[in-house]
Structure formats: C-alpha cells, structure tokens
Amino acid sequence: MRRLRILVFALLAIFAAASAAAHEVRPALLQITEEAPQSWRVFWKQPAMGDMVLRLHPRLSSGWLDAPPADQYLAPGFLVKTWTFQSPQPLSGQTLSVEGLNQSITDVFVQVKLADGRSLDAIVKPQHPSITLALEGPVRPEAPAYLKLGVEHILTGADHLMFVLGLLLLVGIGGRIVKAVTAFTAAHSLTLAAAALGWVHVPSAVVEALVALSIVFVAVELARGGGPADSLTRRQPWLVAFIFGLLHGLAFAGALAEIGLPPHAVAASLLLFNLGVEIGQLAFIGAAILVILALRRLRAQAGWDPAAFARLAPAYAIGVFATYWFIERLTVAFQ
C-alpha cells in the first residue's frame, strides 16, 4: 500500500499535463473558400475549454490573414474567426503556417475549395506547423484525409485509450476481450454515425464528462478484483462495453463536429473516419497485449509476483486521471 500511495501522489503531480493530452487533441479547422473568382472567405475554428483558448493564429504568406477578422466570437467549445476579402493573388503556392501550433498537441485540418472546382485537404501538425498549398495538380479527393484523422484522434486521445486499456486489464487476454471490443466497436459506430449525421445531439461537455465517468467505473472494477462471476462487468463485459461504447461514439463525433463532413462525400468520409478509429484502437490493443505478455515473462524470470500491486497500480493510475477529467469536464458542462 505504501508503494500505491507514492504512485498516487506522483500521478497527482502530473495530472495537469494528462488533462491537456486528454482533449485539446481536438483538431482546429481552417477553411479557405473562393466563393467567386478573386473573392475569398476564410473560416477558422479552434477548440476551447470554457474561456480557455490556445494561442493559435493562422497565417498565409500573402498576408491575407494579418488584418483583423471580419467576425470573431467565442461559443461553447470553440472560438470562431472569419475573414472576407477580394484579391487577384492566387492561393496556390502560398505558405500556410499556424503560429503557436508547435507549442500544442492540436492538429489543424485544412480544407481549400477554389471557384473552378479544385480542392485540397491537409492536416497541419505541431511537428511541422506550416505547409505549401499546392493546387496546380488535379483535384485531390477529400475523404481519405478522414482515415488519417480517425487514426490520429484515437491514438492521441488519452481518455479513450485508458478506457480500452482498463477493459483489457479487466477482461484479460482471450476470447472475452474479442467479444468486448467488438461490442464497443459496434456501439460507438452507431452513435458516431448518428451524431455526425445530425440525428442525435448531446452537449459535448456533458458527453466528455460521461466518458470520464465511464473510465472511473472501469478503474473501480479493476480495484475491486474478484472472479468472473463477482459483478455484471466481469460476467458480461461485452454488455458494459456496448453501453459505454455509445458514449464514446458521441465523443468521437465531436472531432467530426469540429471540422464537418464534405457534402459530396459524407458516407465515405464517415466510414473512413470510423475505420481510422478502429485501426488505431486495434493497434493500441495489440501493443498493450505485447507489453502485458513481456511483463509477465519478466516477472516469471525474476521470481517476483506482487499480484495485488500489479492489479491495483493500473487501477489507481487510471482512476486518478479519470476522476480529475470528470471533475474538470463537469465544471465546464455547468458553466
């Protein structure tokens, strides 16, 4: 127990960094639209948490965005800026950069549409916060970018990954985890599609708080221990995974809500985003299983078998982070 207390205090010391990793990974969106020849509209939308907004500023090498925006407002969950102007200067070949992006963990999803039908989709990342807008070639398809966005969203979402890890530790390696993950996938696919298509609407702050609460639930089950028949979660993990998967699907839809779906490729973009989420999730589960098996082998070779510590340490770690996220997000939801 002394080791567990030390672990908890260490986790509390770094929980603020984990909070940032949990969900300012929501992407920002920059749309550049040529509404008529030489008539431009730029739409900027970045995530916000209450009144807290990252210092991100889009820039074009032409200087188009150096002037104050025509409109700017702060709404629940995001900050919006728009610019409108006339310019004969071509967009193709200009350099787009996002000031402050290299000091964040937020990606920027870029959508460009020209009056002649040409378009471009790109993702600007903190590691490379600038790109050259090349629009001289053929029209580039928009939908494939959503596959990459789905993979990146799940792999950079610490809260979703903690739920999956907790479920894996709770159920164990074997056929039961396959059933649980399948149920989780089916559930969040349903609500992701329903929310992204506008059939269901739940305030994002409420969804994020409930997602954190689902992780707390899994952490408590882990800490309790017991055999397969001790609780509904251990008897029917697929049912619990399905129920919580519905919540996580609504949260996944939040990433799509930030950038929207291209009108002429809604089904393809939605399918690819969901497929990207699944690819990332399965990659994480595979890596976690390899780590678990390696630790088991090392433990056997060392002749050290602290069963209680091995069970409780992950439960406490997951529980501390999830409890903090729940309180933080609940506060935002009631602002």
Side-chain angles (χ1 to χ4, degrees):
M1 291 303 295
R2 181 173 177 273
R3 289 180 179 178
L4 288 177
R5 285 194 292 269
I6 293 173
L7 174 63
V8 169
F9 284 125
L11 292 173
L12 286 171
I14 60 171
F15 71 94
S19 172
H23 253 301
E24 270 332 324
V25 297
R26 293 177 299 165
L29 170 66
L30 181 69
Q31 291 178 328
I32 306 175
T33 306
E34 188 181 21
E35 297 182 323
Q38 302 182 8
S39 179
W40 301 91
R41 180 177 183 271
V42 178
F43 176 85
W44 169 256
K45 182 179 181 182
Q46 72 177 83
M49 184 71 73
D51 294 332
M52 297 173 58
V53 182
L54 295 174
R55 294 181 179 273
L56 301 178
H57 303 285
R59 307 288 186 198
L60 285 168
S61 55
S62 62
W64 286 355
L65 305 184
D66 293 347
D71 189 24
Q72 175 176 330
Y73 60 89
L74 184 63
F78 54 85
L79 170 69
V80 171
K81 297 180 182 180
T82 57
W83 292 262
T84 55
F85 47 87
Q86 300 282 331
S87 176
Q89 184 172 354
L91 179 64
S92 184
Q94 291 194 38
T95 299
L96 167 67
S97 60
V98 182
E99 183 181 321
L101 189 67
N102 61 339
Q103 299 174 3
S104 75
I105 55 171
T106 299
D107 293 343
V108 177
F109 197 86
V110 180
Q111 296 177 332
V112 177
K113 297 181 189 244
L114 301 188
D116 61 9
R118 285 177 295 162
S119 64
L120 178 146
D121 279 345
I123 298 176
V124 183
K125 303 182 71 61
Q127 299 89 336
H128 303 285
S130 64
I131 60 170
T132 299
L133 301 176
L135 290 149
E136 296 303 331
V139 176
R140 297 178 59 182
E142 296 180 1
Y146 285 79
L147 177 68
K148 183 179 180 182
L149 182 64
V151 174
E152 292 182 343
H153 182 71
I154 184 65
L155 291 182
T156 55
D159 46 1
H160 298 298
L161 294 180
M162 277 198 180
F163 179 85
V164 173
L165 177 60
L167 192 64
L168 175 62
L169 295 173
L170 188 65
V171 175
I173 301 172
R176 284 160 55 85
I177 189 59
V178 174
K179 293 179 182 178
V181 170
T182 301
F184 183 68
T185 296
H188 74 63
S189 297
L190 289 174
T191 48
L192 170 60
L197 295 174
W199 300 342
V200 175
H201 177 72
V202 182
S204 61
V206 174
V207 171
E208 297 294 347
L210 291 175
V211 165
L213 189 60
S214 73
I215 305 169
V216 173
F217 177 86
V218 170
V220 170
E221 288 291 294
L222 273 174
R224 286 178 55 195
D230 287 344
S231 67
L232 176 63
T233 307
R234 294 181 182 276
R235 290 195 306 272
Q236 302 290 347
W238 66 268
L239 178 59
V240 174
F242 184 86
I243 293 171
F244 288 136
L246 296 174
L247 285 174
H248 284 251
L250 294 173
F252 292 145
L256 287 181
E258 295 294 326
I259 62 172
L261 291 167
H264 61 280
V266 171
S269 300
L270 181 59
L271 176 63
L272 286 172
F273 180 83
N274 193 59
L275 182 60
V277 168
E278 297 317 311
I279 291 172
Q281 180 177 280
L282 291 174
F284 173 76
I285 291 174
I289 289 175
L290 290 176
V291 171
I292 291 171
L293 293 176
L295 289 176
R296 286 181 180 177
R297 176 172 294 184
L298 288 174
R299 189 175 63 184
Q301 292 175 350
W304 182 59
D305 189 21
F309 181 80
R311 173 175 58 83
L312 290 175
Y316 274 69
I318 293 171
V320 167
F321 288 131
T323 300
Y324 171 73
W325 292 333
F326 175 67
I327 295 172
E328 179 191 49
R329 294 171 185 181
L330 197 63
T331 302
V332 172
F334 283 100
Q335 282 183 349

